[in-house]
Amino acid sequence: MEKNKRQKLINCAVIGVIIAGIVALVLLTKSGKIERVAFGEETNTEASLGSLEDLKEGLAAYPELHKAVFEEAGVEPGENAFIIPGMETTLTLHHDHEEADICTTMTPQGLAVNADYLFLSAYCQTKEHNSVVYVLDKKSGSFIKEIVLDGIPHAGGLAYDNNHDLLWVTSEKGDTAQVITLALADIEAYDFMAASEPIRYADSIDLPDIKRASTITVHGNDLYAAYFNDNGASVMHRYAISTKENADGKEVRTLDTGKSTEEAYPDDVDKIGREIQGLAFHQEKLMLSRSAGREDDSTLLSFDRLQETENFTDKNASTEIALPAYLEQIAVDGKQLYILFESGAYPYRDHGNPSIDRVLRVEIDTLFSE
């Protein structure tokens, strides 16, 4: 009898350990600490969350955004919402093994637009896989390919340089902020399926004077870089983009401060608010996107750049618009603003208000109309 009791206790303990292990596994998976099981062998292109109607219903609580996305004259609602690929499965490299692998925890961060393409950067939450840039057709929103980056940078910012046909990407080298460039010709020629190697960088430039390059934009012939600071005000640095010869006599794109082609110091420093995820210029206005987790709405701030000098904190904002949580980068293309959220990523999709698995495109004047 005693033996049977002991055996039952042992069995209960084993079952308890198994259940606890399963619960821990589920929690770690849901939080993006470990990879999910992959049910695909390529980058997925379908929506990771609900339908367009579900999104429309979810955005009803944000009237300015809802109107700009779904009520633009002569435009079908789906034309202003582009599915973010790779939120279920992304084909990339395993960072340690350096072989093709599927990542299930990619998290979108950066956004840039040129005449033909929409570029979205993403990093692996588990840090097991190389970061990527998704390339979409700008007109249709259809997925073209993934660009696999070298290593696991956060890739929090993208900016397209029309003057030099370059895609600028934020990165880091050890504890030093960095930006790297990808030539458009290299992007168009790149085929990960054929090579299973990261894309070749055109140039890389260290930014020693900024804590980290969290987000960037190109305006005119200048690169602007800012860093996300959740403890107080932050800064936005401006660098002039130029063409020089490096020590080997090779022509490179650099940030012209007279120091070197491999590092740059800012020509100008402006003060910005806390928790800034993205920046973009429209004519003579500066727009900043803010987000810090799931508890509060995100905010899109607009500043009259002609009237403000070196201080783009909240007190000087001309307009503030509430947007759903997990707002990331923004990008301007003519009269249109593209808006990216990270809440379509698996670790965040249960916490958005609502969660959004699409890039949204709006007319700037409509969004900021009274």
Side-chain angles (χ1 to χ4, degrees), residues 3 29 40 57 71 99 102 160 167 176 181 191 201 214-215 245 291 296 307 318 320 322-323:
K3 184 178 180 181
T29 303
E57 181 179 344
E71 299 177 30
E99 59 187 19
I102 291 294
Y160 193 78
L167 182 67
T176 303
T181 59
D191 184 356
Y201 294 169
S214 302
T215 184
E245 286 190 358
S291 171
D296 300 311
Q307 295 180 6
S318 58
E320 294 187 23
L323 297 180

Side-chain angles (χ1 to χ4, degrees), residues 109-129:
Q109 293 292 292
L111 169 67
V113 185
N114 75 355
D116 300 309
Y117 306 116
L118 181 61
F119 304 99
L120 310 173
S121 64
Y123 73 97
C124 171
Q125 278 277 349
T126 66
K127 302 187 186 305
E128 290 186 14
H129 299 94

Side-chain angles (χ1 to χ4, degrees), residues 28-29 31-36 86-90 102-108 122-129 134 345-348:
L28 288 170
T29 303
S31 65
K33 302 298 184 183
I34 60 176
E35 294 280 333
R36 293 175 289 154
M87 296 298 93
E88 300 300 328
T89 54
T90 292
I102 291 294
C103 175
T104 59
T105 63
M106 279 295 177
T107 303
Y123 73 97
C124 171
Q125 278 277 349
T126 66
K127 302 187 186 305
E128 290 186 14
H129 299 94
Y134 305 112
Y346 186 74
Y348 302 124

